[in-house]
Amino acid sequence: PTLLNSQPQICAISADGGQSTLQINNSGARVLSNKESDSSNEDDAAAQPGDTDRFLKTQVEILKSHGMAVRVAQKLKLFTDPHFFEAEGAAPPTANRTPLQLRNEVQGLLGKNLTVDLPHDSRIVTISFVSADPQISANIANAYATEFIQANLQRRFDSSAYARDFISNQLAEVKQRLEESEIALNNYSRSAGLIRTDTTSGGENKDSHQGTMSVTTTSLFQLNQAANEAMAKRIAAEGHWNQVNSGPLLSSQEVVTNPTMQQLLTQKAIAEGELEQERSRHFDDYPTVKAKQQQVAALNHQVQMAATNIRNSVRSDYDSAQRSERDLMRQVALLKNETLSEQDRDVKYNLLAREVDSNRAVYDGLLQRFKDLNASAGISISNISIIDTADVPLRPTSPNVPINLLVGLAIGLVLAAGTVLIKDYFDDSIRVPEDIEAKLNLSLLGVIPKSSGGNPIDELGDPKSGLTEAYNSLRGALLYAKSEGLPPTLLVTSAQALEGKTTTSYAIALGLARIGKRVLLIDADMRRPSLHRLIDSDNDRGFSNLLTSLDSITSAALPGGAENLWIVTSGPIPPSPTELLASGRLKSLLQEGTEHFDVVVIDSPPVLGLADAPLMSALVGGVVFVVEADRSRHGSLRSALRRIVAMRAVLLGSVLTKFDPFKRNNRYYSSYYGYEYYQYQYSYETPKRS
């Protein structure tokens, strides 16, 4: 269904009586909003838009269920209501039927006459009921709507009560496991002498043992941190000492930057300056000069003592840092051994601690779920509401005589049309030329009209006859049947006997001879030969003799009664014509015939029941398939064509023979009506229409 941003809904709209309407949302509103409790309801399964269609169909099936029928029957007391049975055309309830039989019968009557309609791409459901009593129909439709709402609420409450009972039992079990695991953890800590401290920041997750450490481990951590700091201080003090002790005492940066040293050096410089002034005026033994010399010497001694003191101070700091580092490293080594021995005991402690944490997590989750179910149980609003109630119908819905007559007429027309189409599909009889291409998928080479009643061969002698004109048209089609022109060898055959293939083969040969081509006509029907009668031959020697000898094909050719036309009769009928045709002699005879004649035309036996025509069709340049019009068939044409196609023969097309252009009826009227133009008689004065 097409959904907007709102939640999917089902609605039912009442019509003109006997119908009730409902609106069914996927989920009902709740007084206490809780996503988890909302999603727990089995009716809220269609949370995704793609599940709405499935949800709506589920609600329809619930409305049609036997449980709903029992609720409606109990509410309306239909099990003992004789008016209900009378309205449904059933026998009234009697004492000879058991309660179970009455229950099943009422369920069947309700389910049979109840209609729950869910239109496509809609949220609307129509609930209607059909009976002979309009009041009962309206009451049952309304009862289905109200009972559906109550059943839905009851199902919600029962589902919630079952969940609460189940979670309550689970809580008791999980609580017992949690207490047992905590006691086991505490006993093991006491027996192993493990004192754990909480290392989580801010006291978070106080009930979890994953962030706790033992006292020994905590002490090791703190001492190791202090040892690292002492090592850093010792390294810094050692570097300072090496810097001070590596060069002259007074050139050290530590000595030079000392305030006392700077003051003494300043005083020394002043005294040395005054000494130089006195020496410039007096000799060295002069009392003032000696006094200044003693002052400078005293200052030098003070400077040397101060520098030595500074260097000794740096050395003292280095020695102190070294001792502190050594003491801390000794303590760390001792705590490492204690921690390693304690880790063996921590393995079991961690297993017990993880079990406690897991039990606590399960217990907390179940407890929260139990609180949510208690808070939301029984206070959800129904997701079903009645939009309209069913009114008492004002008129019956059935039977509707005009509609029934129209439906019957439509069904009759469909059945009749289907019967005609099926019969036409399985009947491959050819009645009009258009059927050639439609049913056989062959090109139409020509249409030969039905003979006026005389001998068709005699009509071929009349150049103005309709038969002659039709075969002349066929001759023109054959001359351009292939891109390279007329094939040198032609095979004329048909599906069954007496379809006009012999007359057609003779007419093709005669027509080609009249336009100057040297034509050889071979009677290859060695079972029922007929061409020898056209030339009054005794048929003592012919095609069968050529197949059993090495004689030239011209030695058996007889004049055909027209210029440029020769005929090879069938000859004596052999015991097995198929074996003669299957030999390699036939192919050499045809090659020889094409060397002496322009065209070789072969009159072959019919295809069905014989293997002669398919064998010869594979050796000729083209096959002309003759079909008799208005002949009753049952798949024979398609079977014959399949046999020829299986030999990979070249089918030039089909010729429709014995066609009556004046046979016009409603079904088989054809556009090939032009042959009546040729239906006239000749006189030597004035032509007259027949």
Side-chain angles (χ1 to χ4, degrees):
T2 303
L3 300 177
L4 303 178
N5 294 329
S6 60
Q7 288 185 338
Q9 298 176 344
I10 301 179
C11 299
I13 297 180
S14 63
D16 187 14
Q19 296 179 342
S20 181
T21 63
L22 296 174
Q23 176 177 343
I24 308 175
N25 297 328
N26 276 8
S27 59
R30 292 184 178 271
V31 177
L32 297 179
S33 177
N34 188 297
K35 294 182 179 179
E36 292 185 359
S37 60
D38 288 346
S39 61
S40 65
N41 194 303
E42 63 177 5
D43 290 333
D44 301 342
Q48 299 297 328
D51 295 334
T52 299
D53 184 59
R54 186 186 309 169
F55 174 74
L56 300 184
K57 291 180 180 179
T58 301
Q59 301 306 307
V60 171
E61 293 301 322
I62 292 175
L63 279 167
K64 296 179 181 178
S65 65
H66 289 171
M68 284 299 303
V70 171
R71 293 180 67 96
V72 171
Q74 290 175 346
K75 178 180 180 180
L76 299 179
K77 301 179 180 179
L78 299 180
F79 296 114
T80 57
D81 187 359
H83 298 290
F84 169 72
F85 288 90
E86 181 182 358
E88 297 300 324
T94 56
N96 58 355
R97 279 183 286 182
T98 63
L100 180 60
Q101 292 176 338
L102 284 175
R103 175 190 177 98
N104 293 335
E105 185 176 358
V106 171
Q107 286 180 359
L109 293 175
L110 290 176
K112 177 182 178 181
N113 297 300
L114 176 69
T115 301
V116 181
D117 185 26
L118 174 62
H120 182 64
D121 289 342
S122 175
R123 304 165 186 171
I124 296 175
V125 168
T126 302
I127 304 175
S128 59
F129 190 81
V130 178
S131 71
D133 190 326
Q135 185 63 51
I136 290 179
S137 297
N139 292 341
I140 292 178
N142 290 328
Y144 262 98
T146 56
E147 288 302 312
F148 183 58
I149 295 175
Q150 294 182 11
N152 183 66
L153 290 174
Q154 184 66 39
R155 188 168 58 253
R156 289 170 178 264
F157 181 80
D158 293 342
S159 175
S160 176
Y162 173 79
R164 291 196 306 274
D165 293 340
F166 176 78
I167 293 178
S168 178
N169 295 332
Q170 293 295 315
L171 271 174
E173 296 178 4
V174 173
K175 182 179 180 181
Q176 181 66 26
R177 290 201 301 268
L178 176 60
E179 292 176 353
E180 292 175 355
S181 61
E182 286 181 339
I183 292 173
L185 177 62
N186 187 50
N187 292 336
Y188 178 76
S189 299
R190 183 182 298 275
S191 62
L194 296 177
I195 302 176
R196 313 296 289 187
T197 59
D198 187 9
T199 61
T200 56
S201 61
E204 298 178 358
N205 198 15
K206 293 181 179 180
D207 294 332
S208 177
H209 297 83
Q210 300 300 320
T212 62
M213 296 175 62
S214 67
V215 173
T216 304
T217 305
T218 304
S219 300
L220 175 61
F221 176 78
Q222 295 174 353
L223 283 176
N224 187 66
Q225 186 175 4
N228 291 334
E229 294 176 357
M231 182 184 295
K233 291 180 180 180
R234 190 265 305 167
I235 293 173
E238 184 178 4
H240 192 190
W241 165 248
N242 291 333
Q243 180 183 2
V244 172
N245 195 42
S246 61
L249 182 61
L250 296 179
S251 62
S252 174
Q253 184 70 19
E254 185 73 18
V255 176
V256 173
T257 58
N258 188 271
T260 303
M261 285 297 298
Q262 290 179 356
Q263 184 178 1
L264 290 174
L265 290 174
T266 302
Q267 293 176 2
K268 177 184 175 184
I270 295 173
E272 288 177 349
E274 292 177 351
L275 177 60
E276 290 298 326
Q277 289 179 3
E278 290 294 331
R279 282 179 176 177
S280 65
R281 295 193 298 267
H282 305 285
F283 293 103
D284 291 338
D285 56 352
Y286 193 76
T288 58
V289 173
K290 288 181 178 182
K292 291 298 180 183
Q293 288 178 346
Q294 292 176 356
Q295 184 181 2
V296 170
L299 288 173
N300 285 331
H301 179 72
Q302 291 179 4
V303 168
Q304 189 66 30
M305 289 297 295
T308 301
N309 291 335
I310 293 173
R311 183 182 64 180
N312 292 337
S313 175
V314 173
R315 174 66 183 184
S316 178
D317 292 340
Y318 168 63
D319 293 339
S320 176
Q322 194 173 26
R323 285 192 302 271
S324 177
E325 177 190 10
R326 190 164 48 248
D327 294 339
L328 288 173
M329 294 302 292
R330 188 183 306 110
Q331 293 296 326
V332 168
L334 293 175
L335 287 178
K336 278 184 178 180
N337 294 330
E338 294 181 11
T339 303
L340 290 175
S341 62
E342 190 180 73
Q343 284 181 352
D344 297 334
R345 301 191 300 272
D346 280 346
V347 174
K348 185 175 181 180
Y349 178 88
N350 291 331
L351 293 176
L352 296 174
R354 279 194 294 269
E355 183 178 358
V356 171
D357 294 339
S358 177
N359 291 335
R360 181 175 290 109
V362 174
Y363 178 79
D364 291 342
L366 289 175
L367 183 60
Q368 182 62 38
R369 183 64 173 166
F370 185 73
K371 292 178 180 178
D372 295 339
L373 287 175
N374 285 333
S376 60
I379 58 175
S380 62
I381 301 175
S382 174
N383 62 324
I384 305 172
S385 58
I386 298 178
I387 306 301
D388 292 316
T389 57
D391 299 328
V392 178
L394 301 178
R395 58 182 180 275
T397 58
S398 64
N400 193 326
V401 177
I403 293 180
N404 292 344
L405 291 176
L406 291 176
V407 171
L409 178 61
I411 293 175
L413 292 176
V414 171
L415 292 176
T419 303
V420 172
L421 290 176
I422 293 174
K423 182 179 179 181
D424 184 70
Y425 177 78
F426 288 102
D427 184 15
D428 60 351
S429 299
I430 305 299
R431 294 179 173 83
V432 292
E434 290 83 353
D435 292 343
I436 295 291
E437 295 183 357
K439 294 184 177 182
L440 303 183
N441 198 23
L442 287 177
S443 59
L444 181 64
L445 296 176
V447 180
I448 310 303
K450 189 175 183 181
S451 177
S452 59
N455 189 354
I457 302 300
D458 296 337
E459 290 189 35
L460 290 175
D462 184 3
K464 297 295 186 179
S465 67
L467 199 65
T468 302
E469 290 292 345
Y471 278 116
N472 288 341
S473 176
L474 172 60
R475 177 188 62 194
L478 289 175
L479 290 174
Y480 301 99
K482 297 178 68 177
S483 59
E484 59 271 14
L486 180 68
T489 54
L490 287 176
L491 178 72
V492 181
T493 187
S494 62
Q496 298 174 345
L498 303 177
E499 294 199 48
K501 60 178 180 56
T502 300
T503 303
T504 300
S505 60
Y506 177 76
I508 292 174
L510 181 61
L512 293 174
R514 286 176 176 174
I515 62 174
K517 293 186 176 293
R518 291 171 54 84
V519 183
L520 178 63
L521 176 60
I522 300 176
D523 189 357
D525 190 353
M526 291 179 286
R527 290 179 173 81
R528 297 176 60 181
S530 59
L531 283 178
H532 63 279
R533 299 190 187 95
L534 297 179
I535 57 176
D536 295 328
S537 173
D538 54 10
N539 201 25
D540 292 336
R541 188 170 184 273
F543 190 53
S544 60
N545 302 101
L546 296 177
L547 292 173
T548 57
S549 66
L550 297 178
D551 296 341
S552 174
I553 194 171
T554 57
S555 64
L558 301 175
E563 187 178 359
N564 297 326
L565 177 61
W566 287 266
I567 297 177
V568 175
T569 61
S570 66
I573 298 176
S576 180
T578 304
E579 294 180 1
L580 293 180
L581 294 173
S583 64
R585 178 60 177 162
L586 175 60
K587 184 175 182 181
S588 60
L589 286 175
L590 293 178
Q591 292 177 351
E592 184 182 356
T594 56
E595 294 175 358
H596 294 86
F597 300 94
D598 296 331
V599 182
V600 177
V601 181
I602 303 174
D603 178 22
S604 76
V607 177
L608 294 181
L610 304 173
D612 301 1
L615 284 174
M616 291 184 287
S617 66
L619 301 176
V620 298
V623 178
V624 177
F625 195 73
V626 176
V627 179
E628 180 183 355
D630 289 327
R631 184 165 183 169
S632 178
R633 304 177 190 273
H634 299 283
S636 61
L637 287 178
R638 294 190 179 97
S639 299
L641 287 174
R642 280 195 296 268
R643 294 190 63 188
I644 295 177
V645 171
M647 302 301 294
R648 298 183 180 180
V650 180
L651 275 168
L652 300 179
S654 180
V655 178
L656 184 64
T657 60
K658 303 180 184 181
F659 175 64
D660 187 1
F662 302 104
K663 183 180 180 180
R664 293 186 172 93
N665 53 49
N666 292 334
R667 185 180 176 195
Y668 298 114
Y669 180 76
S670 174
S671 61
Y672 286 83
Y673 54 85
Y675 287 117
E676 63 176 306
Y677 181 79
Y678 301 107
Q679 303 299 318
Y680 53 81
Q681 296 177 348
Y682 282 94
S683 67
Y684 289 102
E685 291 89 6
T686 305
K688 183 186 300 181
R689 290 278 185 182
S690 60

